[in-house]
Amino acid sequence: MTPTTTPDAMGNAVAIVGMAGRFPGAATTDELWQGLLDGVESVRTFSAEEMAEAGVSPERIASPGRVPRGADLADADLFDAGFFGVTQRDARLMDPQQRVFLTCAWQALEDAGLAAHAPGGPVGVFASTSMSTYLLANVLRSAEYADAALTYPVLLGNDKDFLATRVSYKLDLRGPSMTVQSACSSSLTAVHLACQALARGEVRAALAGGVSITFPQTSGYEYQEGGILSRDGHCRVFDAASAGTIKGNGCGVVVLKRLDDALADGDRVYAVIRGTAVNNDGSDKIGFTAPGPQGQRAVVKAAVEASGVPAAHVGYVETHGTGTVVGDPLELQALSAAYQEAGGPAPDCAIGSLKANVGHLDAAAGVTGLIKAALALFHQKVPRQINYDTPNPHLRLADRPYTVPTETVEHTPAAPLRAAAVSSFGLGGTNAHAVLAAPPVRPEPPAGRPGTPYPVVLSARDAEALAEQARALRALLDQPEPPAVRDLAYTLFTGRTLLPVRHVFTAATHDELRAGLDALLAGAPANSALPEAGWAHGPALKTSLPGYPFRQERHWIEPTPGAGTVAATPADTPAAGAAQTSIGAAGATAAVAPDTADDDVLERVIELLEQGLGMDQIAPDDDFYELGGDSLLAVEMVTALRSIFEIELDVDEFARLRTPDEMAAQIRAARSGTAAERSGITPVRDGEGTPVYLVPPAGGTNFLYFRLADQMAPGAPLRALSFPSDPALRPGTLRDLAALYVEWIRREQPQGPYRLGGYSFGGNVVFEMALQLQRSGETVEQLVMLDAHVPETYVAGHLDEEEFQAVFPVLFEAAAVRGVDPKMLREQGFLDVWQHNHDLLKGYYPDRRFAGDLVLLQAEEPEGDALLDALRMNPRDKSVWGAHITGHLLVDKVPGDHFSMFDEGDRIARLGAALGAALAPCDQEG
């Protein structure tokens, strides 16, 4: 038993400040609420054609026991993969439950007006999901993935473990991130854990919720006497004719903050969670799956005591309410006993269950019940209970202080709904209960000075989405009571994650706001200059604004007739390697005979790309990166191409081959022996003027520079130095490596001035290169580092091979290398290169100062202590670089940490812009 608040700890009250969801018959929480008020039953009858399409045989469709009913979720196959930076292949592989939850998590943050990068502390994620039936019914029944049950891409897309952490990764949330599983009570248990994290001060906000979508959705079910599913396809909670529940499909997410913080931030508060509790029945029941009245009674009592809310204030309880003839009376018995012991509930306390409306949402049931109770408190209304005519006599309602509303109950200021409660009980005995209070009155902040111009900040991934946002805001302003300009501007400024394409203008009145939006929609040039300071316009309130205009597309793997065997591949077999799982699933890893016609090379390359990217009809001139390719898929492609065509190819070479045509040409040249001899320098970008030479980080590859170049305005040529691929030729000291690189660049550019840059380890190498060039009388006019540690950081003991092997998992996690088998990275030599270069750093210290300025693009967030400790690195402020130069240290802070500064979206866009700005002065001189 773990109550989260006590009567003398009311400061731990938790505000529900945002919510989002998708439910049967309702695409939003607003639509869900309206459906509850209207008494809509979203359970529907499936046609014979729908059931046949779902794979139900004609014999089963015609079976007398077949119940062709269910509560399906519309558009469960749709997802905006581009917005979330998911490749087409991974989007198809990913369990739709995880795709829907990720989308709802973003929408909930928008509803809360909470930007991931806002100050105040980390945001946690506590999430629940049902098992991946998409994996069983679709992925493993397809010809493409029938033998790939335990391969990395399949597991990462479908295993429960990655539900919460994928949200944290994609939305850049840094608090605790965990998947919470306790069957039907999972999502309310997740809310309980989120409240605990807030109470302990671990997070400034938390996302909590659950998702459950069972595939196929339209198959109906076979009725079983004594089972939990309804005989007639209706869920009749509390009714004398109750005969079971209905499986529903949906997702619900709430955003939680400490009440004090929510009020200080001007948040809209739907309701206040005053106390929660979770326990388990133990063995005090007749069977593992049977309900445990004593456990239910205990958890309700604990939550009420923890809340500090007088039990007599609770005027509505959203029950677990499955509509079973035995379960409902047992639940009401426990509920009644617990509240009466505590002095409540309120007279004629209403009880209900939305399972009658949308079915049993399993892992999403508890949070959806919480959303309903919160909206009841927010709107001061209790929706009527549908499918209820005659009370189940075993409920003994005449002897208990509860009523089942048959019409919507509207509360008044004279008789308000002061508190509500929610129960969720899981199969297996984990029980959860929460007590909520009505939201406090939100005081209107003092009026601002008339005529004050407020910054209006719009941002999106592209110009089209930016225009859609502007149109939605313009329509909002045409409503009878549009939000105040100050509140709208405050919500956009502080409550939206900044995306790469932006437009900023100022407005003091609604007319000026309309004019600014109209100008953008009429084609006026976008102004992307953000205000230099934060919000400096006094207190304001968060307000409800249109959300991001997602572009949902279908991502789906259809089961293949006859491919129904679910194969299990041991995780440690070669088939589990990322290169062979995703690309090799179609047999692409078989080597090509040397006499294969040249025309077949392009065909095989395109086939590989289509397998890897999960799309059809890739053209010979399509750009790999514009199609969604990334560094991890590039590693897979390089491995597959080496194996298939029996050629030498590394990631740096592949990085410059952007189209299938270019890849095929390189393969033909390599196979015929006509490939140009590598100089050790790879072109990253063409341009005019003095080239900038870039040195790779410790991993030895330059892929990050190609990604950065895509984010930069045109400028000087960018050239990347390749780390020696032959272990026998690798220099034994950092000075030797720098000397090798200096020799390479002087072959291309015999005389200065030279321009050098490098990320991390690469920054330390270019520093030594600059010293050597100056020692030989050459001019180094520009030296740029991307978050390179100062030499003092590495003054400590070396790690032997066994110690570095032990560090690798920590390094792997810190670098957020997701989707690639660690075994494959070891086999490809990445670990050896990383260890070698780390040893070089341990043995290096500059012997003089650099005569000139140094530009440092520094990550705003520090690296985790765990990684630095494991690598025996001594954290030192990067301003110490100033002691190693005679000129000025110019520091530009960029978002993220040492690794996440390269994350897709806003972060890499801002890093690319910062690098472009750092190089621009010498570009112009050149």
Side-chain angles (χ1 to χ4, degrees):
M1 191 75 60
T2 49
T4 63
T5 59
T6 60
D8 58 353
M10 298 299 287
N12 286 339
V14 171
I16 301 174
V17 297
M19 58 177 63
R22 289 174 57 187
F23 313 94
T28 65
T29 55
D30 286 342
E31 291 182 12
L32 172 70
W33 178 247
Q34 190 59 51
L36 295 174
L37 293 178
D38 294 341
V40 174
E41 182 181 21
S42 294
V43 181
R44 70 182 184 90
T45 300
F46 305 131
S47 68
E49 290 77 14
E50 286 177 305
M51 289 189 286
E53 289 177 4
V56 184
S57 68
E59 294 77 18
R60 291 190 174 184
I61 292 175
S63 167
R66 195 77 190 174
V67 182
R69 300 271 293 168
D72 57 322
L73 183 70
D75 300 330
D77 55 342
L78 304 184
F79 178 57
D80 190 340
F83 178 83
F84 290 107
V86 177
T87 66
Q88 299 287 313
R89 178 202 66 179
D90 288 346
R92 291 175 67 242
L93 271 177
M94 194 186 301
D95 184 354
Q97 295 182 116
Q98 300 206 23
R99 304 188 321 217
V100 169
F101 189 87
L102 175 60
T103 304
C104 287
W106 174 275
Q107 292 170 327
L109 289 176
E110 282 191 322
D111 187 59
L114 179 63
H117 300 303
V123 177
V125 181
F126 303 83
S128 309
T129 182
S130 298
M131 72 179 296
S132 178
T133 52
Y134 178 70
L135 172 68
L136 301 177
N138 292 61
V139 177
L140 298 182
R141 289 182 176 271
S142 69
E144 189 176 2
Y145 293 101
D147 297 319
L150 295 182
T151 58
Y152 257 72
V154 172
L155 284 177
L156 289 173
N158 290 274
D159 194 276
K160 291 180 178 181
D161 285 0
F162 307 109
L163 173 71
T165 50
R166 175 172 282 108
V167 171
S168 296
Y169 175 59
K170 290 298 183 182
L171 305 189
D172 193 26
L173 308 178
R174 304 304 178 94
S177 185
M178 60 187 72
T179 302
V180 181
Q181 297 303 140
S182 60
C184 322
S185 60
S186 295
S187 56
L188 196 59
T189 301
V191 169
H192 167 79
L193 295 175
C195 290
Q196 287 187 320
L198 285 161
R200 290 193 297 266
E202 292 179 356
V203 295
R204 68 179 169 98
L207 282 162
V211 61
S212 179
I213 313 173
T214 300
F215 299 99
Q217 293 196 77
T218 59
S219 59
Y221 58 91
E222 198 72 19
Y223 173 72
Q224 293 180 335
E225 190 67 37
I228 64 169
L229 293 177
S230 168
R231 180 187 297 108
D232 64 0
H234 296 275
C235 182
R236 304 180 187 278
V237 185
F238 310 132
D239 194 79
S242 59
T245 192
I246 288 288
K247 176 66 180 80
N249 298 278
C251 176
V253 185
V254 294
V255 180
L256 308 176
K257 293 174 72 173
R258 287 178 290 272
L259 178 60
D260 290 347
D261 292 342
L263 295 176
D265 293 341
D267 294 334
R268 172 190 51 198
V269 177
Y270 288 103
V272 180
I273 301 175
R274 291 291 185 177
T276 66
V278 171
N279 74 356
N280 192 275
D281 297 329
S283 61
D284 188 15
K285 54 185 179 179
I286 62 173
F288 176 65
T289 61
Q294 296 307 314
Q296 294 177 11
R297 177 176 177 175
V299 81
V300 171
K301 182 179 179 183
V304 174
E305 290 176 351
S307 72
V309 173
H313 287 185
V314 176
Y316 174 66
V317 179
E318 175 67 15
T319 66
H320 183 63
T322 55
T324 58
V325 70
V326 175
D328 290 352
L330 288 176
E331 177 181 358
L332 200 60
Q333 173 189 336
L335 185 73
S336 179
Y339 270 94
Q340 287 182 317
E341 286 176 18
D348 297 321
C349 177
I351 55 174
S353 171
L354 52 60
K355 291 181 178 65
N357 302 86
V358 297
H360 187 359
L361 300 186
D362 193 58
V367 72
T368 306
L370 181 79
I371 288 171
K372 177 186 173 183
L375 291 174
L377 288 164
F378 185 76
H379 295 291
Q380 289 291 293
K381 295 179 181 180
V382 175
R384 71 182 179 91
Q385 184 65 33
I386 67 168
N387 296 342
Y388 175 79
D389 297 310
T390 304
N392 181 340
H394 300 294
L395 293 176
R396 295 171 47 204
L397 285 176
D399 303 326
R400 291 182 173 136
Y402 294 105
T403 61
V404 181
T406 55
E407 298 294 337
T408 295
V409 179
E410 300 205 22
H411 288 264
T412 65
L417 178 62
R418 292 184 285 186
V422 184
S423 290
S424 190
F425 306 138
L427 206 67
T430 294
N431 308 303
H433 192 75
V435 179
L436 287 66
V441 175
R442 188 164 63 158
E444 188 71 27
R449 181 170 54 84
T452 299
Y454 298 104
V456 180
V457 180
L458 305 179
S459 72
R461 276 180 57 88
D462 53 49
E464 183 179 345
L466 191 75
E468 288 184 50
Q469 285 190 319
R471 278 190 287 270
L473 285 173
R474 187 63 179 81
L476 178 68
L477 295 176
D478 290 336
Q479 298 298 314
E481 295 183 9
V485 176
R486 174 189 60 187
D487 295 344
L488 183 147
Y490 174 66
T491 304
L492 290 174
F493 191 95
T494 66
R496 291 288 190 269
T497 297
L498 277 174
L499 298 172
V501 179
R502 301 162 187 167
H503 179 58
V504 182
F505 64 96
T506 59
T509 66
H510 283 110
D511 285 342
E512 291 180 2
L513 187 53
R514 293 185 185 97
L517 294 171
D518 288 342
L520 175 62
L521 292 171
N527 170 32
S528 60
L530 295 171
E532 293 184 2
W535 181 262
H537 306 276
L541 299 178
K542 300 280 179 66
T543 189
S544 179
L545 298 178
Y548 192 85
F550 290 117
R551 294 189 191 127
Q552 306 273 25
E553 296 179 345
R554 192 170 195 258
H555 300 279
W556 200 250
I557 294 175
E558 293 286 358
T560 303
T565 302
V566 177
T569 304
D572 58 352
T573 65
Q580 295 187 14
T581 57
S582 55
I583 297 176
T589 55
V592 174
D595 59 351
T596 300
D598 280 349
D599 289 345
D600 291 342
V601 173
L602 178 60
E603 181 180 334
R604 292 300 300 275
V605 168
I606 290 176
E607 179 184 348
L608 272 177
L609 290 172
E610 289 177 344
Q611 289 286 334
L613 291 164
M615 57 177 57
D616 298 325
Q617 299 180 332
I618 292 178
D621 59 350
D622 281 345
D623 189 295
F624 171 72
Y625 307 104
E626 291 179 1
L627 294 175
D630 56 20
S631 59
L632 301 181
L633 184 55
V635 172
E636 297 181 32
M637 288 293 303
V638 167
T639 305
L641 291 171
R642 283 174 178 171
S643 174
I644 293 169
F645 295 104
E646 298 181 343
I647 59 170
E648 290 298 319
L649 182 69
D650 63 31
V651 175
D652 280 358
E653 284 181 294
F654 182 83
R656 65 181 177 82
L657 306 173
R658 303 189 70 105
T659 68
D661 268 338
E662 292 173 349
M663 296 174 195
Q666 177 67 24
I667 292 167
R668 294 188 190 105
R671 296 177 69 198
S672 65
T674 60
E677 183 177 349
R678 296 196 61 195
S679 66
I681 301 177
T682 302
V684 175
R685 180 186 74 178
D686 294 331
E688 299 293 332
T690 305
V692 180
Y693 291 96
L694 302 169
V695 173
T701 66
N702 287 297
F703 202 92
L704 294 173
Y705 296 138
F706 286 86
R707 291 174 56 209
L708 276 178
D710 287 340
Q711 306 292 329
M712 298 166 61
L718 300 181
R719 313 275 284 164
L721 296 155
S722 298
F723 188 77
S725 56
D726 187 347
L729 301 179
R730 291 172 187 166
T733 69
L734 189 143
R735 285 188 173 86
D736 291 341
L737 179 62
L740 176 65
Y741 284 160
V742 166
E743 178 185 344
W744 288 358
I745 65 175
R746 295 190 76 170
R747 289 176 190 167
E748 285 199 350
Q749 184 187 337
Q751 296 179 332
Y754 291 100
R755 304 173 69 187
L756 306 174
Y759 162 54
S760 191
F761 165 79
N764 297 84
V765 177
V766 297
F767 189 84
E768 174 60 26
M769 291 170 63
L771 297 182
Q772 293 184 17
L773 285 165
Q774 288 186 338
R775 190 183 297 119
S776 66
E778 294 290 352
T779 299
V780 178
E781 70 172 346
Q782 196 165 47
L783 185 58
V784 180
M785 294 182 183
L786 282 70
D787 208 51
H789 286 290
V790 296
E792 287 78 4
T793 299
Y794 299 100
V795 179
H798 287 258
L799 281 74
D800 60 29
E801 184 174 352
E802 183 177 341
E803 290 172 323
F804 199 85
Q805 290 278 351
V807 170
F808 187 57
V810 182
L811 183 63
F812 196 73
E813 176 63 26
V817 183
R818 298 172 174 88
V820 171
D821 186 353
K823 181 180 177 182
M824 186 188 70
L825 291 182
R826 285 191 175 96
E827 291 172 349
Q828 296 299 326
F830 288 98
L831 176 61
D832 292 339
V833 172
W834 218 320
Q835 180 179 356
H836 177 273
N837 290 338
H838 186 71
D839 285 342
L840 297 190
L841 286 168
K842 290 283 190 176
Y844 173 73
Y845 195 84
D847 59 2
R848 67 189 64 200
R849 293 195 293 170
F850 171 68
D853 297 339
L854 169 61
V855 177
L856 175 65
L857 307 184
Q858 182 178 346
E860 290 179 339
E861 303 170 16
E863 292 167 74
D865 291 338
L867 176 61
L868 297 179
D869 290 345
L871 291 172
R872 295 182 188 164
M873 294 168 62
N874 306 303
R876 294 289 186 273
D877 194 288
K878 294 185 177 70
S879 63
V880 175
W881 275 117
H884 292 279
I885 61 176
T886 63
H888 299 289
L889 176 63
L890 309 172
V891 179
D892 188 1
K893 295 288 184 72
V894 294
D897 62 26
H898 189 72
F899 299 106
S900 66
M901 59 196 285
F902 289 93
D903 282 355
E904 291 295 341
D906 181 62
R907 291 195 169 184
I908 194 169
R910 292 175 65 179
L911 179 59
L915 179 57
L919 298 177
C922 291
D923 284 351
Q924 294 167 0
E925 292 173 9

